[in-house]
Each structure stands twice: as structure tokens, then as C-alpha cells.
Amino acid sequence: MSASKRVLLIIAGGIAAYKALDVIRRGRERGLTFRVILTKGGAQFVTPLSVSALSGHKVYGDLFSLTDEAEMGHIRLVREADLVVVAPATADIIAKMAHGLADDLATTALLANDRPVLIAPSMNAVMWAHPAVQANIATLRARGVFTVGPGAGDLACGEVGDGRLADPLDIVGAMLARLAPGPLAGLKALVTSGPTFEAIDPVRFIGNRSSGKQGHAIAAALAAAGAATTLISGPTAEPDPAGCKVIHIESAAEMLAAAQNALPADIAICAAAVSDWRPAHLANQKMKKREGGEPPRIELATNPDILATLAAAGPQRPRLVVGFAAETERVVEFAQVKRAKKQCDWILANDVSPQTGTFGGAENEVHFITASGAEAWPRLSKRELAARLAARIADHFGKSVA
Ligand code: CTP
């Protein structure tokens, strides 16, 4: 790790703030440099003097201090960082980040920030489990914020449970992982995942059983490999993967609009099980049964093909467009035809017959299909398959990018 990696560390007001001192020490041992913002609350637990002695730099705390602003304004503080870390991240600062509040130097800097953010939550276990905190964490994750911890164990308040600040060495490890340039660093990826729901009326829809497990795992693997990844997800029970920007949509039309919005991109992976059809007419009110009447007939309209649209996006076409082919027979043959028809570069073809357990299951077995042929990949967990695909993509760009 080069000595020039710069971390802007925000120490918020939690009892675990003292551990942030160890984070600085361990991080510096590993070549990181630190600028530190100590919030008012943080300064109740550790002194600016100890932070400055350990970091080797002046500590920042006051948004309105003229000297601080003259020497190093809050904008420059974030612009000069490679990574922004909040440790400990209290329920309060997490809520402020989620809602965009900017009432002190730390939160103003966070709002003016365009660098990757890693937070290490720390709080009482009941606070951590509170739906408000969990909703805020979900919001931050959906925006691409990385989290490390919290862990389980004895808490400073005397209770036991989830909420302990991650070990300082683990926090430094997570920082180094975020700072290491992954093989896909500098590339932009978009991934579609999950089913689409096509509304019949305000309460009914046409959908499918896609779990989103494979698409979400791919988005996570691309982000972990350093690609700036946007995940466009239909309704699934899968949590938002770390490090991705996640856009939640319901219908194929919304998925297409979100995918087009995410262009330009270098890589597009369409793993979503997009509904091929939608009701041609959306009933504005819930459709009622008529006494002794016929069941309604639902006329269908064809949905746009997102994969084919991206592959035909002209100058906006991602350099690598990858699709999936769900087949129940003659898998490779049908997938080759699909690849040619949809004009994508690669297809991962899988057998989705019920006996394979692929739909909704944790494993997948695919044929990897390119213009030059088909390769049978072994049965892998969806996560392993995602990692293998990410490595393949890195290979591809390693070869084709000058
Ligand atoms: N796909 C898409 N938009 C659609 C339909 C499919 O982006 N409206 C993408 C899927 O994400 C997948 C690939 O196309 O990457 C193949 O999907 P699949 O359902 O296997 O193929 P279909 O085109 O629907 O063909 P068929 O159902 O006739 O096999």
C-alpha cells in the first residue's frame, strides 16, 4: 500500500471513540495518513491533543472556525481524502448522514463528499436493532456506503449484544480493502437483478420467482473488484449489497429507464428475470368480482427487452454486455441463438428446470458462452460464480484495454 493513501477519519461521540486512537495508530503503521474531524460529542470522549499526537496533524472540529476554514476548508478536507471513515459511527451521525443534515463540520464534510465512505457503527444493541437505525443503515448502504461491524459482545453500557465497534485492526483492514485498487477500478458497471412486477391494478401484479441472489452477488463482486457499480433491483428479499449504488424498481419499464440512466457504463450485466409481458391496461381501481360474472380477461403487451436495448445502444453501448439465458432444454444451443439475437457479448446459460433447484437456490451451474464457443463451468455457489465472472471480466479488460 502506498504511503500516499489519505483517510479522513470522523470520530463521533460514542464511548468507543477511544478505539479510534488505535485505528489511527494501526493505520499509520500500515502506511495510511490521517486527517481527523472530531465531533463535539467525540471530543467528550477523546481529547484533540491525543488525536493530533497520534495522527501527527491538527485536528478539525469547528465548522465556523475561521482559522480552520482558512487553512483547510471542509471541502478541501474531503477532496484531499481517498477514503472517508466514520468510526465510531453513532446512531445520531448515521441518521444525519441518511437524511442529509449538515449542522457541524463532520456532517457538512460528509455531505460535500464524493469519496468512498466506510462507517464503523457502534451503539447499544437495542439501538442498533431499532427499525429507525436499520432503515438509516439500509439507506446508506443503498447509496454505496461501506460498513464494517458492529460485532457482538459485551457493550460498554453493561448489556450484551450486537453493537460493539469492530476491532480496530478489522477497521483498518476494511480501509485497506477499500483503498486497494481492484482489478476493475476505473470501470463503471450496471447490473439488473431480481424479478419485475407488472401491475394489473393497485393491488395485483404479474411477477416471477426470481430471488435476485445471482444478480446481487454479481453486483457485490464487481463492486468488490473496484468497479463503480449500479445495481437495478426488482422486488427481492435480498439485502442491498455493500459498495453498490442500488436503485429499486418494480416494472420492466422502470428497470429500462434506470438502466438507460446509468449509461454510459463499461459493463452491463442483465441478470434480472424481466417479465416478458405486462397488462396492456392498468386498472386505476382494484378490479371487483362481478356476481356470477365472467373472470376478467387480461390483455398483455410485450415489455421492452432491456438486454437487447443496451446491446443496441449505439455510442452509449457498454463495452461488455452480458446476459443470462434461462432454459429448460437444449441449453447451449438455445443460448447461442439468444446471444446472437440479443447482440450481447457473453451469455451465462443455465438450466432452470425445477429439479436443478437453480431458481431461488444458493447454487448455479452455467455454460459460459461467447462468440468463440461455450465453456461448461462447474456447479458453484452463486457467490463463487459471481467472483469467477468478475475475474473473467477483469481478464477481458486487461487484454482489451490498452
Ligand atoms: N431480458 C431483459 N429484458 C427482457 C427479457 C429478458 O433484459 N424483457 C434479459 C434477461 O435479464 C437475461 C436475458 O435477457 O439476461 C435472457 O432472458 P430469458 O428470459 O432467458 O430470455 P427471453 O428473452 O425471455 O427468451 P425466452 O423466454 O423466449 O427464452
Side-chain angles (χ1 to χ4, degrees):
M1 174 68 52
S2 98
S4 62
K5 291 295 180 191
R6 292 159 306 185
V7 174
L8 174 64
L9 174 66
I10 295 171
I11 304 178
I15 184 69
Y18 74 95
K19 292 191 193 168
L21 299 177
D22 208 25
V23 169
I24 299 172
R25 198 165 65 87
R26 304 293 191 165
R28 286 191 73 190
E29 283 167 8
R30 285 157 183 77
L32 301 175
T33 60
F34 287 87
R35 289 283 189 281
V36 181
I37 296 177
L38 189 59
T39 67
K40 235 186 210 152
Q44 299 292 318
F45 295 93
V46 290
T47 68
L49 193 60
S50 34
V51 175
S52 133
L54 280 166
S55 67
H57 290 281
K58 178 175 167 30
V59 176
Y60 300 86
D62 187 358
L63 178 60
F64 300 108
S65 152
L66 286 176
T67 356
D68 283 7
E69 278 294 309
E71 280 173 16
M72 172 81 99
H74 62 279
I75 303 287
R76 228 179 96 204
L77 264 178
V78 288
R79 290 297 172 274
E80 292 193 352
D82 298 302
L83 177 71
V84 176
V85 178
V86 187
T90 57
D92 179 63
I93 201 162
I94 288 169
K96 285 178 171 159
M97 289 172 75
H99 296 280
L101 267 63
D103 61 354
D104 64 1
L105 178 60
T107 47
T108 307
L110 282 162
L111 213 54
N113 171 50
D114 57 359
R115 306 292 139 126
V117 180
L118 171 72
I119 65 171
S122 163
M123 67 198 74
N124 167 273
V126 179
M127 282 172 86
W128 173 249
H130 195 285
V133 174
Q134 287 304 311
N136 289 335
I137 285 283
T139 301
L140 294 181
R141 285 193 178 132
R143 279 187 212 142
V145 169
F146 296 93
T147 54
V148 51
D154 293 336
L155 303 173
C157 54
E159 295 182 9
V160 179
D162 281 339
R164 250 174 97 94
L165 184 75
D167 187 82
L169 270 183
D170 291 337
I171 296 175
V172 173
M175 289 181 191
L176 294 172
R178 298 291 29 114
L179 287 164
L184 298 179
L187 296 177
K188 207 178 146 209
L190 83 90
V191 179
T192 69
S193 181
T196 64
F197 285 1
E198 310 296 332
I200 297 170
D201 68 14
V203 298
R204 303 182 179 91
F205 62 86
I206 299 174
N208 63 68
R209 294 185 200 280
S210 168
S211 66
K213 284 195 168 83
Q214 187 62 80
H216 279 54
I218 290 170
L222 295 181
T229 306
T230 301
L231 170 66
I232 302 162
S233 172
T236 78
E238 285 295 293
D240 290 344
C244 304
K245 178 175 171 201
V246 186
I247 298 170
H248 296 274
I249 52 82
E250 287 215 333
S251 67
E254 289 165 357
M255 184 173 271
L256 177 62
Q260 286 172 322
N261 252 333
L263 296 178
D266 302 285
I267 305 158
I269 305 197
C270 293
V274 183
S275 175
D276 290 316
W277 306 285
R278 67 178 182 279
H281 309 286
L282 169 64
N284 288 330
Q285 306 298 334
K286 186 182 167 203
M287 290 161 71
K288 303 296 282 178
K289 287 192 292 290
R290 268 168 291 149
E291 210 52 51
E294 288 279 302
R297 282 175 195 279
I298 299 172
E299 194 192 327
L300 297 177
T302 302
N303 264 334
D305 190 311
I306 295 156
L307 175 61
T309 308
L310 292 174
Q316 289 269 70
R317 184 192 196 275
R319 288 191 281 165
L320 182 67
V321 179
V322 183
F324 275 76
E327 310 291 350
T328 53
E329 56 174 339
R330 293 155 67 187
V331 176
V332 172
E333 184 191 331
F334 283 168
Q336 289 280 21
V337 172
K338 205 169 272 180
R339 198 191 73 78
K341 196 176 87 192
K342 300 201 184 198
Q343 290 290 295
C344 56
D345 301 294
W346 300 347
I347 278 221
L348 300 171
N350 52 10
D351 186 342
V352 291
S353 315
Q355 69 274 12
T356 64
T358 296
F359 239 54
E363 294 187 325
N364 209 345
E365 190 171 342
V366 302
H367 295 269
F368 176 75
I369 294 172
T370 67
S372 44
E375 256 173 51
W377 284 8
R379 189 163 189 82
L380 297 167
S381 72
K382 288 185 174 172
R383 208 197 264 229
E384 288 165 338
L385 191 138
R388 191 169 171 144
L389 178 63
R392 199 63 182 239
I393 293 172
D395 258 15
H396 173 80
F397 281 100
K399 278 184 206 125
S400 65
V401 175

